[in-house]
């Protein structure tokens, strides 16, 4: 991590401040041992995990309004894990996952930066079983549907780790795949809704995406 340039910032959620270390820009790259390459992550996509994207900020602001105190929560494709850091600050039961080998190291760095307890992290491939993760009451994520194949992978991964009664919140920046994911989730017994977030003045630009909400009851 010493060979890449970093950026430090503070994100406010009401009275809670989250201090965040990210990559300075998308030109940063550091894979000297070829670890990311072995997982199929090439140089052009390597930095994506380490940037703070608008969808991630929207997710954190939306989830900040939830009563999550009694829920076991899973963030998938966490990247910089701003929502996980916020939930951890509130002492919620949060587990973060990402495919990128650097995501867990940045997560540890950022929990230290916020003087909080370590967050449980599992490097997870959506196509894998990851049985050690267990089941969750609330599953969250942002900007996950880059390719059509991700609809199947994300939907199946969520289903493997969702309790029978579960809520799922995905923020999508508007890549045109939300209806396909909804159809997939409805096949697992979820009701679905999509809506545009309101009051996004905390972003530099207008947010063109949607919050996708899926709920399944016993």
């Amino acid at each position: 991590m010493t060979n890449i340039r970093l950026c430090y910032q503070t994100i406010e959620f009401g009275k809670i401040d989250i201090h965040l270390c990210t990559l300075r820009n998308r030109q940063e790259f550091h894979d000297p041992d070829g670890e990311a390459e072995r997982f199929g992550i090439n140089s052009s996509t390597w930095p994506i995990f380490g940037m703070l994207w608008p969808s991630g900020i929207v997710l954190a602001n939306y989830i900040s309004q939830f009563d999550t105190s009694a829920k076991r929560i899973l963030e998938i494709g966490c990247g910089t894990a701003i929502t996980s850091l916020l939930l951890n600050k509130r002492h919620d039961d949060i587990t973060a996952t990402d495919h990128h080998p650097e995501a867990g190291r940045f997560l540890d760095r950022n929990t230290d930066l916020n003087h909080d307890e370590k967050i449980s992290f599992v490097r997870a491939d959506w196509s894998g079983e990851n049985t050690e993760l267990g089941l969750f009451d609330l599953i969250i994520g942002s900007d996950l549907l880059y390719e059509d194949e991700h609809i199947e992978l994300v939907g199946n991964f969520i289903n493997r780790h969702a309790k029978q009664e579960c809520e799922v919140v995905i923020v999508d920046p508007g890549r045109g795949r939300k209806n396909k994911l909804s159809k997939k989730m409805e096949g697992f017994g979820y009701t679905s809704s999509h809506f545009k977030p309101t009051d996004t003045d905390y972003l530099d630009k207008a947010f063109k995406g949607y919050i996708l909400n899926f709920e399944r009851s016993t």
Side-chain angles (χ1 to χ4, degrees):
M1 202 179 294
T2 56
N3 295 329
I4 54 179
R5 300 181 74 192
L6 303 173
C7 172
Y8 290 87
Q9 57 191 301
T10 298
I11 314 295
E12 298 180 7
F13 301 96
K15 295 182 178 180
I16 297 178
D17 290 343
I18 298 297
H19 309 298
L20 194 66
C21 171
T22 66
L23 297 179
R24 181 164 294 189
N25 53 52
R26 288 191 62 177
Q27 280 66 57
E28 301 304 320
F29 176 78
H30 182 67
D31 190 27
D33 300 321
E35 184 180 11
E37 186 178 6
R38 288 193 293 275
F39 294 132
I41 301 168
N42 60 39
S43 58
S44 63
T45 60
W46 190 95
I48 290 176
F49 89 96
M51 304 295 295
L52 182 59
W53 301 101
S55 294
I57 303 175
V58 170
L59 177 65
N61 276 276
Y62 181 65
I63 294 297
S64 71
Q65 304 169 40
F66 273 51
D67 179 6
T68 51
S69 57
K71 298 181 185 293
R72 187 168 189 241
I73 310 161
L74 175 67
E75 182 174 11
I76 62 176
C78 67
T80 57
I82 183 68
T83 305
S84 288
L85 291 164
L86 173 62
L87 293 171
N88 192 48
K89 177 68 73 175
R90 300 195 325 194
H91 307 291
D92 288 331
D93 183 356
I94 175 67
T95 298
T97 68
D98 200 282
H99 181 49
H100 201 293
E102 287 291 330
R105 291 188 272 271
F106 267 77
L107 185 60
D108 285 345
R109 185 187 190 113
N110 281 316
T111 52
D112 288 343
L113 195 61
N114 287 279
H115 307 291
D116 292 324
E117 297 295 324
K118 296 294 186 187
I119 295 173
S120 174
F121 175 83
V122 177
R123 199 199 69 80
D125 183 339
W126 290 335
S127 62
E129 291 298 324
N130 302 110
T131 53
E132 73 273 17
L133 279 172
L135 303 178
F136 296 83
D137 304 289
L138 174 63
I139 299 176
I140 60 176
S142 61
D143 209 350
L144 305 177
L145 307 175
Y146 282 88
E147 309 287 347
D148 281 344
E149 65 178 322
H150 293 158
I151 296 162
E152 188 81 6
L153 291 171
V154 169
N156 288 340
F157 186 86
I158 290 171
N159 191 55
R160 283 196 296 272
H161 300 295
K163 291 183 179 179
Q164 181 57 39
E165 185 168 330
C166 182
E167 184 171 4
V168 179
V169 177
I170 305 294
V171 177
D172 185 77
R175 298 185 187 277
R177 297 182 176 89
K178 66 181 187 302
N179 292 333
K180 292 180 181 179
L181 181 62
S182 291
K183 186 176 180 180
K184 176 73 174 176
M185 296 300 290
E186 287 165 5
F188 292 133
Y190 288 85
T191 59
S192 65
S193 61
H194 308 157
F195 55 93
K196 289 242 179 215
T198 57
D199 301 324
T200 56
D201 294 342
Y202 49 81
L203 296 177
D204 294 333
K205 298 179 181 178
F207 187 70
K208 298 180 180 179
Y210 293 83
I211 296 174
L212 318 183
N213 188 268
F214 307 103
E215 294 188 60
R216 184 174 67 187
S217 58
T218 53

